[in-house]
Amino acid sequence: KPAFNEGKEKIKELKQKIQNMKINHENAVEKIIPELKMKQNKLAHRLLKIMSALERLRAQRSRIPLMSKEIDYLKQLIHINRELKKPTQFKAKVEELDSIVRIQEDLGGDSSVTLDSENLDVIQKFLKKQ
């Protein structure tokens, strides 16, 4: 029986050591977690500052696209702009229709100026192309 009692004592000691280790671990974790959260917040804030600085630099170079998609979009916009500026194309028709609309608005909507069938066809074709 003395060996049995010694075994019980050892088990009690080990349980007490385990309990103490758990308490120490919980205390250490409770101390470390807020520090790590604060460090994470500082790093996130720093990253946000860097990202905003990059965006500012990018905005300063707004005429120089940085990505291939932006270059493609720029080419498409230039092409569309060229098409719209052709004198025989849409720009002249749009300006003409715009002036007709302004005249109608100036006359208070009671105007005898209306779109003829040719202009209506041109508008419909234009809208279908879009």
Side-chain angles (χ1 to χ4, degrees), residues 17-30:
K17 281 185 179 179
I18 290 172
Q19 187 64 29
N20 289 340
M21 291 174 83
K22 282 182 181 179
I23 291 171
N24 290 339
H25 174 72
E26 288 173 4
N27 291 338
V29 167
E30 286 177 8

Side-chain angles (χ1 to χ4, degrees), residues 10-21:
K10 282 283 188 191
I11 290 174
K12 282 183 184 178
E13 287 176 18
L14 289 174
K15 283 184 180 180
Q16 186 61 37
K17 281 185 179 179
I18 290 172
Q19 187 64 29
N20 289 340
M21 291 174 83

Side-chain angles (χ1 to χ4, degrees), residues 20-50:
N20 289 340
M21 291 174 83
K22 282 182 181 179
I23 291 171
N24 290 339
H25 174 72
E26 288 173 4
N27 291 338
V29 167
E30 286 177 8
K31 182 182 177 185
I32 291 173
I33 286 179
E35 291 173 6
L36 292 175
K37 283 183 179 180
M38 190 177 350
K39 187 176 181 180
Q40 180 186 12
N41 286 338
K42 285 181 182 178
L43 289 173
H45 185 68
R46 188 173 168 197
L47 179 63
L48 188 60
K49 281 184 177 179
I50 291 171

Side-chain angles (χ1 to χ4, degrees), residues 48-76:
L48 188 60
K49 281 184 177 179
I50 291 171
M51 289 173 65
S52 65
L54 282 173
E55 285 300 318
R56 275 187 258 123
L57 284 174
R58 190 172 180 186
Q60 288 174 354
R61 293 194 251 155
S62 63
R63 294 179 186 229
I64 304 171
L66 299 178
M67 294 184 221
S68 63
K69 281 186 177 183
E70 290 175 332
I71 293 171
D72 293 339
Y73 290 139
L74 182 62
K75 287 178 182 176
Q76 288 176 359

